[in-house]
Amino acid sequence: MSDSKEQLLPSEPPPSYELAAQTQTPARGPLPPPPPLELPVLTQLRNQRVVLASASPRRKQLLAHLGLGHAQIVPSRVPEDLPKSLSPFEYVLQTATQKALSVYRQEVNNESADEPALLVAADTIVVSHVGAILEKPRSEKEHLAMLRTLREGPSHKVFTAVAVMTPLESAIAPGYALETSVEETVVWFDSSITDDLLMAYVRTREGADKAGGYGIQGTGSVLIERIEGTFDNVVGLPLRTTLRLIEKVMATGELSAQELAEREEPDEE
Protein backbone atom coordinates (compact mmCIF):
# COMPACT_ATOMS: atom_id res chain seq x y z
CA MET A 1 0.00 0.00 0.00
CA SER A 2 1.36 3.44 -0.90
CA ASP A 3 2.10 6.15 1.67
CA SER A 4 -0.81 8.26 0.38
CA LYS A 5 -3.26 5.43 0.92
CA GLU A 6 -1.85 4.66 4.35
CA GLN A 7 -2.63 8.25 5.37
CA LEU A 8 -6.28 7.67 4.51
CA LEU A 9 -6.68 4.82 6.98
CA PRO A 10 -8.34 5.67 10.33
CA SER A 11 -5.81 6.77 12.93
CA GLU A 12 -7.98 5.68 15.86
CA PRO A 13 -9.92 2.47 16.49
CA PRO A 14 -13.71 2.61 16.11
CA PRO A 15 -15.83 3.03 19.25
CA SER A 16 -16.60 -0.07 21.28
CA TYR A 17 -19.87 -1.90 20.64
CA GLU A 18 -21.03 -0.96 24.15
CA LEU A 19 -20.45 2.74 23.48
CA ALA A 20 -21.99 2.49 20.01
CA ALA A 21 -25.09 0.87 21.48
CA GLN A 22 -25.40 3.66 24.07
CA THR A 23 -25.01 6.46 21.55
CA GLN A 24 -27.41 4.91 19.04
CA THR A 25 -30.34 4.34 21.42
CA PRO A 26 -31.45 7.76 22.67
CA ALA A 27 -34.52 8.01 24.86
CA ARG A 28 -36.35 10.08 22.25
CA GLY A 29 -35.77 11.44 18.79
CA PRO A 30 -34.37 9.76 15.65
CA LEU A 31 -31.35 7.49 15.77
CA PRO A 32 -28.07 9.20 14.81
CA PRO A 33 -26.37 7.90 11.67
CA PRO A 34 -23.57 5.36 12.14
CA PRO A 35 -20.00 6.48 11.51
CA PRO A 36 -18.95 6.30 7.84
CA LEU A 37 -17.08 3.37 6.38
CA GLU A 38 -13.35 4.01 6.73
CA LEU A 39 -12.19 2.72 3.35
CA PRO A 40 -9.31 4.53 1.60
CA VAL A 41 -11.26 5.24 -1.59
CA LEU A 42 -14.25 6.64 0.33
CA THR A 43 -12.09 8.67 2.71
CA GLN A 44 -10.34 10.24 -0.28
CA LEU A 45 -13.62 11.08 -2.00
CA ARG A 46 -15.00 12.82 1.09
CA ASN A 47 -12.53 15.64 0.41
CA GLN A 48 -13.34 15.85 -3.30
CA ARG A 49 -16.28 16.82 -5.48
CA VAL A 50 -18.79 14.02 -5.94
CA VAL A 51 -21.77 14.43 -8.28
CA LEU A 52 -25.00 12.44 -8.16
CA ALA A 53 -26.69 12.64 -11.57
CA SER A 54 -30.15 12.15 -10.08
CA ALA A 55 -32.81 14.26 -8.39
CA SER A 56 -33.89 11.32 -6.23
CA PRO A 57 -33.63 12.11 -2.50
CA ARG A 58 -33.64 8.36 -1.86
CA ARG A 59 -30.46 7.85 -3.91
CA LYS A 60 -28.75 10.74 -2.13
CA GLN A 61 -29.71 9.23 1.22
CA LEU A 62 -28.39 5.81 0.20
CA LEU A 63 -25.14 7.34 -1.09
CA ALA A 64 -24.78 9.03 2.30
CA HIS A 65 -24.64 5.57 3.87
CA LEU A 66 -21.24 5.24 2.17
CA GLY A 67 -20.16 8.52 3.74
CA LEU A 68 -20.73 10.50 0.53
CA GLY A 69 -23.59 12.61 1.82
CA HIS A 70 -21.85 15.72 0.47
CA ALA A 71 -22.56 14.59 -3.10
CA GLN A 72 -23.90 17.42 -5.23
CA ILE A 73 -27.18 16.70 -7.00
CA VAL A 74 -27.02 17.54 -10.71
CA PRO A 75 -30.05 15.92 -12.38
CA SER A 76 -29.73 14.63 -15.91
CA ARG A 77 -31.87 16.30 -18.58
CA VAL A 78 -31.61 13.33 -20.93
CA PRO A 79 -35.13 12.26 -22.01
CA GLU A 80 -35.94 8.73 -20.86
CA ASP A 81 -37.51 7.71 -24.13
CA LEU A 82 -35.60 4.68 -25.34
CA PRO A 83 -37.72 2.17 -27.28
CA LYS A 84 -39.52 -0.30 -25.05
CA SER A 85 -38.58 -2.99 -27.59
CA LEU A 86 -35.18 -3.14 -25.86
CA SER A 87 -34.75 -5.82 -23.23
CA PRO A 88 -35.17 -4.50 -19.66
CA PHE A 89 -31.44 -5.03 -19.08
CA GLU A 90 -30.49 -2.99 -22.18
CA TYR A 91 -33.12 -0.33 -21.51
CA VAL A 92 -32.09 0.45 -17.95
CA LEU A 93 -28.34 0.16 -18.66
CA GLN A 94 -28.45 2.50 -21.66
CA THR A 95 -30.56 5.02 -19.76
CA ALA A 96 -28.21 5.13 -16.76
CA THR A 97 -25.15 5.37 -19.03
CA GLN A 98 -26.68 8.24 -21.02
CA LYS A 99 -27.46 10.08 -17.79
CA ALA A 100 -23.89 9.66 -16.56
CA LEU A 101 -22.25 10.77 -19.82
CA SER A 102 -24.54 13.77 -20.22
CA VAL A 103 -23.96 15.17 -16.73
CA TYR A 104 -20.23 14.33 -16.79
CA ARG A 105 -19.66 16.27 -20.03
CA GLN A 106 -21.65 19.18 -18.62
CA GLU A 107 -19.70 19.28 -15.36
CA VAL A 108 -16.28 18.83 -16.93
CA ASN A 109 -16.95 22.05 -18.83
CA ASN A 110 -18.46 23.81 -15.81
CA GLU A 111 -16.11 26.73 -15.17
CA SER A 112 -17.79 27.62 -11.87
CA ALA A 113 -16.96 24.30 -10.17
CA ASP A 114 -14.11 21.83 -9.89
CA GLU A 115 -14.04 18.79 -12.13
CA PRO A 116 -15.92 15.97 -10.38
CA ALA A 117 -13.68 13.31 -8.88
CA LEU A 118 -16.60 10.89 -9.08
CA LEU A 119 -19.98 10.89 -10.78
CA VAL A 120 -22.74 8.41 -9.96
CA ALA A 121 -25.85 7.89 -12.08
CA ALA A 122 -28.61 5.31 -11.83
CA ASP A 123 -31.89 4.30 -13.40
CA THR A 124 -34.59 2.01 -12.02
CA ILE A 125 -37.42 0.30 -13.86
CA VAL A 126 -40.12 -2.16 -12.85
CA VAL A 127 -41.00 -4.98 -15.24
CA SER A 128 -44.38 -6.70 -14.95
CA HIS A 129 -44.94 -10.45 -15.17
CA VAL A 130 -45.74 -10.05 -18.90
CA GLY A 131 -42.50 -8.14 -19.57
CA ALA A 132 -43.93 -4.61 -19.75
CA ILE A 133 -41.61 -1.85 -18.54
CA LEU A 134 -43.35 0.28 -15.93
CA GLU A 135 -41.95 3.70 -15.08
CA LYS A 136 -43.62 6.51 -13.10
CA PRO A 137 -47.42 6.76 -13.21
CA ARG A 138 -48.78 9.87 -14.91
CA SER A 139 -52.32 9.91 -13.53
CA GLU A 140 -54.39 8.42 -10.72
CA LYS A 141 -56.11 6.07 -13.16
CA GLU A 142 -52.83 4.84 -14.59
CA HIS A 143 -51.38 4.51 -11.08
CA LEU A 144 -54.22 2.28 -9.89
CA ALA A 145 -54.05 0.14 -13.03
CA MET A 146 -50.29 -0.24 -12.57
CA LEU A 147 -50.64 -1.47 -9.00
CA ARG A 148 -53.42 -3.89 -9.99
CA THR A 149 -51.11 -5.34 -12.64
CA LEU A 150 -48.39 -5.87 -10.03
CA ARG A 151 -50.85 -7.47 -7.61
CA GLU A 152 -51.99 -9.95 -10.25
CA GLY A 153 -48.35 -10.79 -11.07
CA PRO A 154 -47.81 -12.92 -9.08
CA SER A 155 -44.30 -11.38 -9.11
CA HIS A 156 -42.46 -8.65 -10.93
CA LYS A 157 -38.83 -7.60 -11.33
CA VAL A 158 -37.02 -4.41 -10.41
CA PHE A 159 -33.89 -3.54 -12.38
CA THR A 160 -31.47 -0.80 -11.31
CA ALA A 161 -28.50 0.15 -13.47
CA VAL A 162 -25.62 2.06 -11.89
CA ALA A 163 -23.01 3.98 -13.90
CA VAL A 164 -19.98 5.61 -12.25
CA MET A 165 -17.34 7.81 -13.87
CA THR A 166 -14.07 9.46 -12.94
CA PRO A 167 -11.47 11.48 -14.91
CA LEU A 168 -8.36 9.64 -16.03
CA GLU A 169 -5.22 11.07 -14.47
CA SER A 170 -3.36 10.19 -17.68
CA ALA A 171 -5.89 12.21 -19.75
CA ILE A 172 -5.74 9.50 -22.42
CA ALA A 173 -8.81 9.41 -24.71
CA PRO A 174 -11.69 9.45 -23.93
CA GLY A 175 -10.47 11.15 -20.75
CA TYR A 176 -12.62 9.24 -18.30
CA ALA A 177 -13.17 5.79 -16.86
CA LEU A 178 -16.69 4.36 -16.85
CA GLU A 179 -18.00 1.31 -15.00
CA THR A 180 -21.57 -0.01 -15.08
CA SER A 181 -23.64 -2.79 -13.60
CA VAL A 182 -27.29 -3.89 -13.49
CA GLU A 183 -28.90 -5.53 -10.48
CA GLU A 184 -32.23 -7.39 -10.38
CA THR A 185 -34.66 -8.00 -7.52
CA VAL A 186 -37.88 -10.04 -7.68
CA VAL A 187 -40.84 -8.62 -5.76
CA TRP A 188 -44.10 -10.33 -4.81
CA PHE A 189 -47.17 -8.22 -4.02
CA ASP A 190 -49.66 -9.64 -1.53
CA SER A 191 -52.31 -11.08 -3.85
CA SER A 192 -55.02 -10.59 -1.21
CA ILE A 193 -54.76 -6.79 -1.02
CA THR A 194 -58.00 -5.08 -1.98
CA ASP A 195 -58.76 -2.37 -4.49
CA ASP A 196 -59.68 -0.16 -1.52
CA LEU A 197 -56.16 -0.51 -0.13
CA LEU A 198 -54.63 0.13 -3.54
CA MET A 199 -56.73 3.29 -4.01
CA ALA A 200 -55.93 4.47 -0.48
CA TYR A 201 -52.25 4.06 -1.30
CA VAL A 202 -52.59 5.82 -4.66
CA ARG A 203 -54.14 8.80 -2.88
CA THR A 204 -51.15 9.16 -0.58
CA ARG A 205 -49.16 10.05 -3.74
CA GLU A 206 -46.11 8.38 -2.21
CA GLY A 207 -45.62 6.34 -5.35
CA ALA A 208 -46.23 9.16 -7.83
CA ASP A 209 -42.51 9.76 -8.43
CA LYS A 210 -41.42 6.13 -8.37
CA ALA A 211 -41.02 3.48 -11.06
CA GLY A 212 -43.84 0.97 -10.68
CA GLY A 213 -45.84 3.41 -8.57
CA TYR A 214 -44.81 2.29 -5.07
CA GLY A 215 -42.13 2.92 -2.49
CA ILE A 216 -40.99 -0.20 -0.68
CA GLN A 217 -39.19 1.89 1.96
CA GLY A 218 -42.37 3.71 2.99
CA THR A 219 -46.10 3.08 3.23
CA GLY A 220 -45.84 1.00 0.06
CA SER A 221 -44.33 -1.78 2.16
CA VAL A 222 -47.90 -2.78 3.13
CA LEU A 223 -48.35 -4.01 -0.45
CA ILE A 224 -45.31 -6.30 -0.40
CA GLU A 225 -45.34 -9.96 0.58
CA ARG A 226 -41.65 -10.72 0.02
CA ILE A 227 -38.65 -10.00 -2.15
CA GLU A 228 -35.77 -12.02 -3.58
CA GLY A 229 -32.67 -9.89 -3.94
CA THR A 230 -31.50 -6.68 -2.32
CA PHE A 231 -33.87 -4.19 -0.72
CA ASP A 232 -31.86 -1.09 -1.67
CA ASN A 233 -31.99 -2.12 -5.32
CA VAL A 234 -35.77 -1.66 -5.19
CA VAL A 235 -35.30 1.71 -3.47
CA GLY A 236 -33.08 2.82 -6.34
CA LEU A 237 -29.38 2.37 -5.57
CA PRO A 238 -27.85 -1.04 -4.68
CA LEU A 239 -25.06 -0.04 -2.31
CA ARG A 240 -22.95 -3.20 -2.52
CA THR A 241 -22.84 -2.89 -6.31
CA THR A 242 -22.24 0.87 -6.15
CA LEU A 243 -19.31 0.52 -3.76
CA ARG A 244 -17.73 -2.17 -5.93
CA LEU A 245 -18.05 0.06 -9.01
CA ILE A 246 -16.59 3.06 -7.16
CA GLU A 247 -13.55 1.05 -6.06
CA LYS A 248 -13.05 -0.28 -9.58
CA VAL A 249 -13.45 3.00 -11.44
CA MET A 250 -11.24 4.98 -9.04
CA ALA A 251 -8.47 2.39 -9.40
CA THR A 252 -8.73 2.66 -13.18
CA GLY A 253 -8.64 6.46 -13.02
CA GLU A 254 -5.24 6.36 -11.32
CA LEU A 255 -3.59 4.19 -13.98
CA SER A 256 -0.93 5.64 -16.25
CA ALA A 257 -1.34 5.76 -20.02
CA GLN A 258 1.03 2.78 -20.36
CA GLU A 259 -0.90 0.74 -17.79
CA LEU A 260 -4.17 1.50 -19.56
CA ALA A 261 -2.67 0.49 -22.91
CA GLU A 262 -1.39 -2.78 -21.45
CA ARG A 263 -4.82 -3.50 -20.02
CA GLU A 264 -6.38 -3.06 -23.49
CA GLU A 265 -3.89 -5.41 -25.19
CA PRO A 266 -5.45 -8.81 -26.01
CA ASP A 267 -3.97 -11.80 -24.22
CA GLU A 268 -1.74 -13.93 -26.41
CA GLU A 269 -2.76 -17.55 -26.81
Side-chain angles (χ1 to χ4, degrees), residues 154-200:
S155 66
H156 59 275
K157 295 180 179 180
V158 179
F159 294 87
T160 295
V162 182
V164 299
M165 301 180 67
T166 191
L168 290 175
E169 290 187 3
S170 64
I172 190 172
Y176 59 79
L178 168 67
E179 296 290 343
T180 61
S181 184
V182 178
E183 190 157 326
E184 172 187 333
T185 300
V186 184
V187 181
W188 283 263
F189 265 31
D190 180 355
S191 61
S192 68
I193 54 179
T194 64
D195 280 1
D196 286 344
L197 175 55
L198 291 180
M199 179 53 75

Coordinates of all heavy atoms in Angstrom, one line a residue, residues 154-200:
P154 N -47.9 -13.1 -10.5 CA -47.8 -12.9 -9.1 C -46.5 -12.2 -8.6 O -46.4 -11.8 -7.5 CB -47.8 -14.3 -8.5 CG -47.2 -15.1 -9.6 CD -47.6 -14.5 -10.9
S155 N -45.5 -12.1 -9.5 CA -44.3 -11.4 -9.1 C -43.9 -10.4 -10.2 O -44.4 -10.6 -11.4 CB -43.2 -12.4 -8.8 OG -42.8 -13.1 -10.0
H156 N -43.0 -9.5 -9.9 CA -42.5 -8.6 -10.9 C -41.0 -8.4 -10.6 O -40.5 -8.8 -9.5 CB -43.2 -7.3 -11.0 CG -43.2 -6.5 -9.7 ND1 -44.1 -6.7 -8.7 CD2 -42.4 -5.5 -9.3 CE1 -43.9 -5.9 -7.7 NE2 -42.8 -5.2 -8.0
K157 N -40.3 -7.8 -11.5 CA -38.8 -7.6 -11.3 C -38.5 -6.1 -11.3 O -39.1 -5.3 -12.0 CB -38.0 -8.3 -12.4 CG -38.2 -9.8 -12.4 CD -37.4 -10.5 -13.5 CE -37.5 -12.0 -13.5 NZ -36.7 -12.6 -14.6
V158 N -37.5 -5.8 -10.5 CA -37.0 -4.4 -10.4 C -35.6 -4.4 -10.9 O -34.8 -5.2 -10.3 CB -37.1 -3.8 -9.0 CG1 -36.6 -2.4 -9.0 CG2 -38.6 -3.8 -8.5
F159 N -35.3 -3.6 -11.9 CA -33.9 -3.5 -12.4 C -33.4 -2.1 -12.1 O -34.0 -1.1 -12.4 CB -33.8 -3.7 -13.9 CG -34.2 -5.1 -14.4 CD1 -35.5 -5.5 -14.6 CD2 -33.2 -6.1 -14.6 CE1 -35.9 -6.7 -15.1 CE2 -33.6 -7.3 -15.0 CZ -34.9 -7.7 -15.3
T160 N -32.2 -2.1 -11.5 CA -31.5 -0.8 -11.3 C -30.1 -0.9 -12.0 O -29.3 -1.8 -11.7 CB -31.3 -0.4 -9.8 OG1 -32.6 -0.2 -9.3 CG2 -30.5 0.9 -9.7
A161 N -29.8 0.0 -12.9 CA -28.5 0.1 -13.5 C -27.8 1.3 -12.8 O -28.3 2.4 -12.5 CB -28.6 0.4 -15.0
V162 N -26.5 1.1 -12.5 CA -25.6 2.1 -11.9 C -24.5 2.3 -12.8 O -23.8 1.4 -13.4 CB -25.1 1.6 -10.5 CG1 -24.2 2.7 -9.9 CG2 -26.3 1.3 -9.6
A163 N -24.2 3.6 -13.1 CA -23.0 4.0 -13.9 C -22.2 5.0 -13.1 O -22.7 6.0 -12.6 CB -23.5 4.6 -15.2
V164 N -20.9 4.7 -13.0 CA -20.0 5.6 -12.2 C -18.8 6.0 -13.2 O -18.4 5.2 -14.0 CB -19.4 5.0 -10.9 CG1 -20.6 4.6 -10.0 CG2 -18.6 3.7 -11.2
M165 N -18.4 7.3 -13.0 CA -17.3 7.8 -13.9 C -16.3 8.6 -13.0 O -16.7 9.2 -12.0 CB -18.0 8.7 -14.9 CG -19.0 8.1 -15.8 SD -19.6 9.2 -17.1 CE -18.2 9.5 -18.1
T166 N -15.1 8.6 -13.5 CA -14.1 9.5 -12.9 C -13.1 9.9 -14.0 O -12.9 9.2 -15.0 CB -13.3 8.7 -11.8 OG1 -12.5 9.6 -11.1 CG2 -12.4 7.6 -12.4
P167 N -12.5 11.1 -13.9 CA -11.5 11.5 -14.9 C -10.2 10.6 -14.8 O -9.9 10.1 -13.8 CB -11.1 12.9 -14.5 CG -12.2 13.3 -13.5 CD -12.7 12.1 -12.9
L168 N -9.6 10.4 -16.0 CA -8.4 9.6 -16.0 C -7.2 10.6 -15.7 O -7.1 11.7 -16.4 CB -8.1 9.0 -17.4 CG -9.1 7.9 -17.8 CD1 -8.8 7.4 -19.2 CD2 -8.9 6.7 -16.9
E169 N -6.4 10.2 -14.8 CA -5.2 11.1 -14.5 C -4.3 11.2 -15.7 O -3.6 12.2 -15.8 CB -4.5 10.5 -13.3 CG -5.2 10.6 -11.9 CD -4.4 10.2 -10.8 OE1 -3.2 9.9 -10.9 OE2 -5.0 10.2 -9.6
S170 N -4.2 10.2 -16.5 CA -3.4 10.2 -17.7 C -3.9 11.0 -18.8 O -3.2 11.4 -19.8 CB -3.2 8.8 -18.2 OG -4.4 8.2 -18.7
A171 N -5.2 11.4 -18.7 CA -5.9 12.2 -19.8 C -5.9 11.5 -21.1 O -6.2 12.2 -22.1 CB -5.2 13.6 -19.9
I172 N -5.7 10.2 -21.2 CA -5.7 9.5 -22.4 C -7.2 9.4 -22.9 O -8.1 9.4 -22.0 CB -5.1 8.1 -22.3 CG1 -5.0 7.4 -23.6 CG2 -6.0 7.2 -21.3 CD1 -4.2 6.1 -23.5
A173 N -7.4 9.4 -24.2 CA -8.8 9.4 -24.7 C -9.5 8.2 -24.2 O -8.9 7.1 -24.1 CB -8.8 9.5 -26.2
P174 N -10.8 8.3 -23.8 CA -11.7 9.4 -23.9 C -11.6 10.4 -22.8 O -12.4 11.3 -22.7 CB -13.1 8.8 -24.0 CG -12.9 7.6 -23.1 CD -11.5 7.1 -23.3
G175 N -10.6 10.2 -21.9 CA -10.5 11.2 -20.8 C -11.2 10.8 -19.5 O -11.0 11.4 -18.5
Y176 N -11.9 9.7 -19.5 CA -12.6 9.2 -18.3 C -12.6 7.7 -18.3 O -12.4 7.0 -19.3 CB -14.1 9.8 -18.3 CG -14.9 9.4 -19.5 CD1 -15.4 8.1 -19.6 CD2 -15.1 10.2 -20.6 CE1 -16.2 7.7 -20.7 CE2 -15.8 9.8 -21.7 CZ -16.4 8.6 -21.7 OH -17.1 8.2 -22.8
A177 N -12.9 7.2 -17.1 CA -13.2 5.8 -16.9 C -14.6 5.6 -16.5 O -15.2 6.5 -15.8 CB -12.3 5.2 -15.7
L178 N -15.3 4.6 -17.1 CA -16.7 4.4 -16.8 C -16.9 2.9 -16.5 O -16.4 2.0 -17.2 CB -17.5 4.7 -18.1 CG -18.9 4.2 -18.2 CD1 -19.8 5.0 -17.2 CD2 -19.5 4.4 -19.6
E179 N -17.6 2.7 -15.4 CA -18.0 1.3 -15.0 C -19.5 1.2 -14.8 O -20.1 2.2 -14.2 CB -17.3 0.9 -13.7 CG -15.8 0.8 -13.8 CD -15.3 -0.4 -14.7 OE1 -16.1 -1.3 -14.9 OE2 -14.1 -0.3 -15.1
T180 N -20.1 0.1 -15.2 CA -21.6 0.0 -15.1 C -21.9 -1.4 -14.6 O -21.2 -2.3 -14.7 CB -22.3 0.2 -16.4 OG1 -21.8 -0.8 -17.4 CG2 -22.0 1.6 -17.0
S181 N -23.1 -1.5 -14.0 CA -23.6 -2.8 -13.6 C -25.2 -2.7 -13.5 O -25.7 -1.6 -13.3 CB -23.0 -3.2 -12.2 OG -23.5 -4.5 -11.9
V182 N -25.8 -3.8 -13.6 CA -27.3 -3.9 -13.5 C -27.6 -4.9 -12.4 O -27.1 -6.1 -12.5 CB -28.0 -4.2 -14.8 CG1 -29.5 -4.4 -14.6 CG2 -27.7 -3.2 -15.9
E183 N -28.5 -4.6 -11.5 CA -28.9 -5.5 -10.5 C -30.4 -5.8 -10.6 O -31.2 -4.9 -10.9 CB -28.5 -5.0 -9.1 CG -28.7 -6.0 -8.0 CD -27.9 -5.8 -6.8 OE1 -26.8 -5.3 -6.9 OE2 -28.3 -6.1 -5.7
E184 N -30.8 -7.0 -10.2 CA -32.2 -7.4 -10.4 C -32.8 -7.9 -9.0 O -32.1 -8.7 -8.3 CB -32.3 -8.5 -11.4 CG -33.7 -9.1 -11.6 CD -33.7 -10.3 -12.5 OE1 -32.8 -10.4 -13.4 OE2 -34.5 -11.3 -12.4
T185 N -34.0 -7.5 -8.7 CA -34.7 -8.0 -7.5 C -36.1 -8.4 -7.9 O -36.7 -7.7 -8.7 CB -34.7 -6.9 -6.4 OG1 -33.4 -6.5 -6.0 CG2 -35.5 -7.4 -5.2
V186 N -36.5 -9.6 -7.4 CA -37.9 -10.0 -7.7 C -38.8 -9.7 -6.5 O -38.4 -9.8 -5.3 CB -37.9 -11.6 -7.9 CG1 -39.3 -12.0 -8.3 CG2 -36.9 -12.0 -9.0
V187 N -39.9 -9.1 -6.8 CA -40.8 -8.6 -5.8 C -42.2 -9.3 -5.9 O -42.7 -9.4 -7.0 CB -41.0 -7.1 -5.8 CG1 -42.0 -6.6 -4.7 CG2 -39.7 -6.4 -5.7
W188 N -42.8 -9.8 -4.8 CA -44.1 -10.3 -4.8 C -45.0 -9.4 -4.1 O -44.8 -9.1 -2.9 CB -44.1 -11.7 -4.1 CG -43.6 -12.8 -4.9 CD1 -44.3 -13.7 -5.7 CD2 -42.2 -13.2 -5.1 NE1 -43.5 -14.6 -6.3 CE2 -42.2 -14.3 -5.9 CE3 -41.0 -12.7 -4.6 CZ2 -41.0 -15.0 -6.2 CZ3 -39.8 -13.3 -4.9 CH2 -39.8 -14.5 -5.7
F189 N -46.1 -8.9 -4.7 CA -47.2 -8.2 -4.0 C -48.0 -9.2 -3.3 O -48.1 -10.4 -3.7 CB -48.0 -7.5 -5.0 CG -47.7 -6.0 -5.2 CD1 -46.4 -5.6 -5.1 CD2 -48.6 -5.1 -5.5 CE1 -46.0 -4.3 -5.3 CE2 -48.3 -3.7 -5.7 CZ -47.0 -3.3 -5.6
D190 N -48.7 -8.8 -2.2 CA -49.7 -9.6 -1.5 C -50.9 -9.7 -2.4 O -51.6 -8.7 -2.7 CB -50.0 -9.0 -0.2 CG -51.0 -9.8 0.6 OD1 -51.6 -10.8 0.1 OD2 -51.3 -9.4 1.7
S191 N -51.2 -10.9 -2.9 CA -52.3 -11.1 -3.9 C -53.7 -10.8 -3.2 O -54.7 -10.7 -3.9 CB -52.3 -12.5 -4.5 OG -52.4 -13.5 -3.4
S192 N -53.7 -10.8 -1.9 CA -55.0 -10.6 -1.2 C -55.4 -9.1 -0.9 O -56.4 -8.8 -0.4 CB -55.0 -11.4 0.1 OG -54.1 -10.8 1.0
I193 N -54.5 -8.2 -1.3 CA -54.8 -6.8 -1.0 C -55.9 -6.3 -1.9 O -56.1 -6.8 -3.0 CB -53.5 -5.9 -1.3 CG1 -52.9 -6.1 -2.7 CG2 -52.5 -6.1 -0.2 CD1 -51.7 -5.2 -2.9
T194 N -56.8 -5.5 -1.3 CA -58.0 -5.1 -2.0 C -57.8 -3.8 -2.8 O -56.8 -3.1 -2.7 CB -59.1 -4.8 -0.9 OG1 -58.6 -3.7 -0.1 CG2 -59.3 -6.0 0.0
D195 N -58.8 -3.6 -3.7 CA -58.8 -2.4 -4.5 C -58.8 -1.1 -3.6 O -58.3 -0.1 -3.9 CB -59.9 -2.4 -5.5 CG -59.6 -3.2 -6.7 OD1 -58.5 -3.8 -6.8 OD2 -60.5 -3.2 -7.6
D196 N -59.6 -1.3 -2.5 CA -59.7 -0.2 -1.5 C -58.3 0.2 -1.0 O -58.0 1.4 -0.8 CB -60.6 -0.5 -0.4 CG -62.1 -0.5 -0.8 OD1 -62.4 0.0 -1.9 OD2 -62.9 -1.1 0.0
L197 N -57.5 -0.8 -0.6 CA -56.2 -0.5 -0.1 C -55.3 0.1 -1.2 O -54.6 1.1 -1.0 CB -55.5 -1.8 0.4 CG -54.0 -1.7 0.9 CD1 -53.9 -0.6 1.9 CD2 -53.5 -3.0 1.4
L198 N -55.4 -0.4 -2.4 CA -54.6 0.1 -3.5 C -55.0 1.6 -3.8 O -54.1 2.4 -4.0 CB -54.9 -0.7 -4.8 CG -54.3 -2.1 -4.8 CD1 -54.6 -2.8 -6.2 CD2 -52.8 -2.1 -4.6
M199 N -56.3 1.9 -3.8 CA -56.7 3.3 -4.0 C -56.3 4.2 -2.9 O -55.9 5.3 -3.1 CB -58.2 3.3 -4.2 CG -58.8 4.8 -4.4 SD -57.9 5.7 -5.8 CE -58.7 4.8 -7.2
A200 N -56.4 3.7 -1.6 CA -55.9 4.5 -0.5 C -54.4 4.8 -0.6 O -54.0 5.9 -0.3 CB -56.2 3.7 0.8

